Amino acid sequence: MRLSVIGCGYLGAVHAAAMASIGHEVVGIDVDANKIASLSRGEAPFFEPGLQEILTEGIASGRLSFTTDVAAAAGATVHFVGVGTPQQAGGYAADLTYVNAAIDSLLPHLAPGDVVAGKSTVPVGTAADLARRVSGTGATLVWNPEFLREGWAVQDTIDPDRLVVGVPAGAEGEHAAETLREVYHPAVAKGTPFIVTDYATAELVKVSANAFLATKISFINAMAEIAEVTGADVTQLADAIGHDARIGRKFLGAGIGFGGGCLPKDIRAFSARAEELGRGESVNFLREVDAINLRRRERAVQLVVDALDGAVFGKKVAVLGAAFKPHSDDVRDSPALDVAVRLHGLGAHVVVTDPQAIDNARRLHPQLAYEADRDAAIRDADAVIMVTEWDEYRRELSPAHASSLTHGRVVVDGRNGLDAAAWRDAGWSYYGMGRP
Ligand code: UDX
């Protein structure tokens, strides 16, 4: 099938390449000429495992191309819209500027029978508004939210755990759902749940999934706060409650909390939308979820300060990690980088290292010192803090090796990913998050 994908960021670029990899003919479109030039050369403009390979293959096969010219969308059967919906400057609501601009630019190139499939995360009610604009062209709007995790985006796109499509009522909606079933044929054929619903439900599935995940993380981080004043160990607590199949161990990793381009802004936009709908109280707890999350960054900073006898001024602190999570170079709302910035603000000599995210981090926070080499970053450090659980730090950095490089013997484990006993046995003062 011929497909167009409007927006070639973390979502759209992966979607375009993944759709080509399952046999479709795809054109990716973006207003950013640099991004398009890089994608056209077969170079992934950001780090995402597996993307480079399917990009190269897609371009070589002739099924995948990229352009800044939205007219190239003409002739495609399905037009995916995967542009960003960032948090509004000065508010909590989602900024729909890019979604509106993408739809406006697409309208002149739509033909009757085309399907426009929104993938961006939008406030509930957006699809109904956009459908009115699209309907004049004879095309059908559907909402097909994306649940991909950065770091596993290729796999999550090709082999998702569910597909959700919000469609208008009647034959038009049924036809559009059928078209999407064809697009996702390999996943559908292997029995992946394919849920056809209305616009509002499809939009809400996405934001409620992210709200639930954020709540789960903040729940365990709240337990970490209680553990800290009682001497309990939150990681054992998580293991124990995680054995209950109704609870499950996933997303019960206590630490410096969630960040990234989705969870933080999505729960805020959800609160803002619920307020607009007169149901703010229904999701009031999301404010608490946000507050708990942000407190954990401060807690990690405090652990470093306390471990260095109350003063970090002039001390060298090595910060292991800048990305919001491993297997990503994304530093949007990264708790790791936030901790580094706060320590820098207290006068510490902060050196940040990360296997992938240094360039992005430096663009955002040029005031920090960066060192690509892990060992150079920790050399002569008074304290080491691990804030992104890359294997390079979690598994591959032995306490004995670290001891041969650092000045001090203080390690703060912002992700509860290090072997506490091994570090203590090697003579280190180890501090976890919600652990004795
Ligand atoms: C998330 C959703 O998982 C995905 O379905 C949605 O489409 C987009 O948002 P992503 O932002 O890639 O994906 O990251 P995710 O893996 O969900 O992690 C989010 C944050 O939570 C990271 O900062 C991570 O470090 C943190 N986290 C995760 C925890 O602090 N503890 C955990 O147990 C799990």
Side-chain angles (χ1 to χ4, degrees), residues 48 121 145-152 156 162 206 209-210 213-214 216-218 220-221 249-264 266 293 323-326 328 330 332-335 387-389 414-415:
E48 182 62 48
T121 303
E146 192 60 70
F147 304 98
L148 60 82
R149 299 158 298 167
E150 287 178 31
W152 282 267
D156 285 353
R162 82 288 212 186
K206 170 65 194 217
N210 277 354
L213 294 171
K216 207 171 173 191
I217 297 168
S218 277
I220 201 64
N221 279 330
R249 182 62 172 84
K250 287 180 184 161
F251 271 70
L252 287 182
I256 57 167
F258 60 80
C262 291
L263 262 43
D266 287 353
N293 191 52
F324 82 106
K325 66 172 191 180
S328 172
D330 195 349
R332 289 176 295 171
D333 210 337
S334 167
V387 278
T388 312
E389 67 276 37
R415 293 294 184 179

